Amino acid sequence: QVQLVESGGGSVQPGGSLRLSCAASPLSLEYYAIGWFRQAPGKEREGVACVSSNHGSVDYDDSVKGRFTISSDIGKSMVYLQMNSLEPEDTALYYCAAESDTGVVPTTREQYHYWGQGTQVTVSS
């Protein structure tokens, strides 16, 4: 059974940084794309960044371009989300999700079949 476990969330001040991790098992990142999503209270779950490790493709939501970086380690089956210059608007529960890699990086939540439980990120002064 596919298991995705997020970690690395926490509370930071505006302008701070956090690095989220997503441990994926038993799937191989050679065959699965991974996406990071977030959901703030009262809002829809939205895509943040996604990666196709096998094809070397990444995609970012406009709101995080230049601030967040997604990366992966195929050997460790880990995907990371480095978040810099955090803003209060980034406060949300962050999820990673997995879907079979067809060569086109899935960017919407409807395209993902497997989900983790989430890790909370709070940006506040």
Side-chain angles (χ1 to χ4, degrees):
Q1 184 171 348
V2 173
Q3 187 174 22
L4 301 171
V5 179
E6 305 94 337
S7 61
S11 296
V12 295
Q13 293 185 337
S17 298
L18 283 173
R19 187 195 194 204
L20 305 184
S21 299
C22 174
S25 63
L27 58 83
S28 170
L29 297 184
E30 291 183 294
Y31 306 111
Y32 283 82
I34 300 292
W36 281 100
F37 291 78
R38 65 186 180 186
Q39 188 166 17
K43 293 189 175 182
E44 298 277 324
R45 190 172 299 187
E46 61 179 7
V48 176
C50 48
V51 60
S52 164
S53 304
N54 191 35
H55 297 88
S57 302
V58 297
D59 189 79
Y60 295 95
D61 184 77
D62 287 344
S63 65
V64 305
K65 282 181 180 176
R67 301 189 298 124
F68 291 11
T69 303
I70 190 170
S71 61
S72 62
D73 185 328
I74 292 178
K76 295 182 179 180
S77 289
M78 295 288 294
V79 176
Y80 307 99
L81 185 67
Q82 179 66 43
M83 306 187 296
N84 299 328
S85 302
L86 283 162
E87 304 167 352
E89 294 73 22
D90 296 317
T91 295
L93 189 59
Y94 283 70
Y95 300 88
C96 66
E99 185 51 56
S100 297
D101 192 343
T102 63
V104 177
V105 180
T107 59
T108 67
R109 62 182 181 179
E110 293 79 10
Q111 294 175 287
Y112 284 86
H113 189 71
Y114 303 105
W115 291 85
Q117 295 299 306
T119 184
Q120 178 67 38
V121 171
T122 302
V123 185
S124 174
S125 56

